[in-house]
């Protein structure tokens, strides 16, 4: 059989994973990441984004196009026979939106294979920047959307989430009001995921329900745009949005640009999804049961769900699962962003960070931190601020332990609505390579923590989705169990088990942390 290519276009980097499937023999042939700041300094991003003023966070879509092109070149130069790639899919950072002018479709269909992609994409942008998930400048827009739709609960029941600053509806509403001419000139609004898929197929790609649910615009049960939310967001919005298609839809064929420029064949391009829904597949969570944590730029905790049950506290989300059904997710903005800030503040590298964690006692002698280095999503904290209790800011080891314990306790506290009891946590993301951090997770959740062998679950999930959709398109009744087999098994050498003494300490501490958190966040 063939090769399948998956991408993860996330906040700070683009990752690609190529898998090979020959009957029951499955293996990962290639995995590679490009860091946006380092590889594309001309775009001036810091950790993949630009923040012109506090609360406003954007990224240049042309940079994502440049990264896609660079990566396709890297893959073609690997000595792989790229004409054997049967299908391609991907994952994008969720919620971010890309605004294209009329005429974009024509240009996409006729890209000049002698010229770099980014310079051909730049003139197609009705808005040179894309607001991304770190943006929290749209509280007024969220309020307006909520009241137009009939309140938090009504919006959550309809779309899977109450209004969130980073979700696409609030971002579109702000743009349409602040820049009416640019909005009027906008012909198509893509998510990062559907934009990247469009670059591959050379025409407008659809949005699929996993990522579509991160917009506050989609009727979650029907997989259709919800008219009440469209009306409350911006004029004539529906004609500007791509259609919603099921996750396993083949969006088109890899366009001639890629075939001529890098020698790829006419691979099938499957609708891209969001990075979290894709990681759900890459971690093998196709049925309700296990819970996963992704320790990336954001930290997320998520699991599959058979029915759409809402978080009573209003902080969690329900998205579509690319395997059908639903997934529940809670997102924390201060993930690696905050860990890196603590690491840098004390002049440490990751080895030094881990050593400090090892050398400090479980529970940190009662010292605690609320590590809101940037505005926090869960709990909602619009103004950044780091709060310490019984913690001397100059004490490096205790500050290291305090941030890791705080993040683990926040994840446990705000994921009870998804899973009141957890037996196994599956971990992915850059910080999942750190055993000391994962041990704190195991102790706080009172659960085993395992990893899967490939390091990037979102790009692996994308490659698996490409394979699954390709088989379906060929008329094979492939199940998700068959699709993930051999890729998402737990790496037993990574298994960490909770220590009973630590579990006891954290059971008490969790109540204290909860009180501390709500006393500050309100
Ligand atoms: C999820 C969220 C983040 C981004 C990161 O709701 O905002 O996890 O998807 O890429």
């Amino acid at each position: 059989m063939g090769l399948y290519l998956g991408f993860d276009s996330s906040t700070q980097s683009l990752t690609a994973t190529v898998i090979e499937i020959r009957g029951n023999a499955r293996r990962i042939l290639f995995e590679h990441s490009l860091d946006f700041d380092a590889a594309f300094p001309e775009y001036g991003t810091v950790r993949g984004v630009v923040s012109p003023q506090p609360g406003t966070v954007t990224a240049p879509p042309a940079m994502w196009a440049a990264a896609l092109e660079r990566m396709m070149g890297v893959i073609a130069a690997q000595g792989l026979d790229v004409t054997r790639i049967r299908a391609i899919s991907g994952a994008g950072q969720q919620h971010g939106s890309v605004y294209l002018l009329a005429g974009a479709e024509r240009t996409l269909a006729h890209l000049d294979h002698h010229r770099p992609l980014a310079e051909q994409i730049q003139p197609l942008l009705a808005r040179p920047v894309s607001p991304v998930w770190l943006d929290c400048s749209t509280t007024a827009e969220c309020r307006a959307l909520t009241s137009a739709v009939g309140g938090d609960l009504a919006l959550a029941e309809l779309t899977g989430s109450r209004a969130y600053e980073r979700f696409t509806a609030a971002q579109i509403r702000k743009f349409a009001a602040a820049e009416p001419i640019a909005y009027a000139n906008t012909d198509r609004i893509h998510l990062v995921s559907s934009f990247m898929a469009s670059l591959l197929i050379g025409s407008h790609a659809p949005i699929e329900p996993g990522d579509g649910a991160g917009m506050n615009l989609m009727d979650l049960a029907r997989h259709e745009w919800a008219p009440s939310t469209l009306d409350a967001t911006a004029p004539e919005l529906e004609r500007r949005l791509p259609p919603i298609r099921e996750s396993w839809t083949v969006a088109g064929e890899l366009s001639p640009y890629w075939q001529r420029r890098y020698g790829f064949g006419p691979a099938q391009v499957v609708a891209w999804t969001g990075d979290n829904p894709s990681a759900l597949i890459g971690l093998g969570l196709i049925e309700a049961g296990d819970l996963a944590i992704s320790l990336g730029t954001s930290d997320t905790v998520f699991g599959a769900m058979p029915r759409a049950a809402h978080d009573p506290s209003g902080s969690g989300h329900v998205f579509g699962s690319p395997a059908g059904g639903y997934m529940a997710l809670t997102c924390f903005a201060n993930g690696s962003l905050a860990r890196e800030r603590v690491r840098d503040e004390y002049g440490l590298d990751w080895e030094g960070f881990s050593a400090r964690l090892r050398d400090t006692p479980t529970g940190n002698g009662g010292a605690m931190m609320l590590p809101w280095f940037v505005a926090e999503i869960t709990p909602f904290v619009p103004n950044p601020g780091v709060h310490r209790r019984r913690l001397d800011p100059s004490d490096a080891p205790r500050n290291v332990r305090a941030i890791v314990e705080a993040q683990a306790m926040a994840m446990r506290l705000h994921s009870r609505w998804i899973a009141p009891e957890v037996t196994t946590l599956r971990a992915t993301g850059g910080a999942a390579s750190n055993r000391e951090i994962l041990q704190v997770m195991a102790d706080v959740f009172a659960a085993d923590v395992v990893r899967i062998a490939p390091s990037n679950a979102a790009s692996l999930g994308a490659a698996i989705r490409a394979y699954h959709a390709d088989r379906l398109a060929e008329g094979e009744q492939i199940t998700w169990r068959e699709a993930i087999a051999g890729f998402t098994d737990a790496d037993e050498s990574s298994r960490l088990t909770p220590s009973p003494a630590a579990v006891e300490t954290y059971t008490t501490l969790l109540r204290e942390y909860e009180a501390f958190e709500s006393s500050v966040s309100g």
Side-chain angles (χ1 to χ4, degrees), residues 11 93-95 133 166 275-276 298 300 317 319 329 331:
T11 316
Q93 55 171 303
Q94 296 201 253
H95 319 297
W133 65 274
R166 69 193 193 285
D275 51 2
N276 294 295
S298 62
T300 54
H317 314 297
F319 297 150
L329 173 139
C331 179

Side-chain angles (χ1 to χ4, degrees), residues 286 468 472 476-484:
I286 51 173
H468 171 264
L472 282 188
E476 192 182 311
Q477 291 308 309
I478 183 169
T479 64
W480 278 103
R481 278 259 150 256
E482 288 159 351
I484 62 172

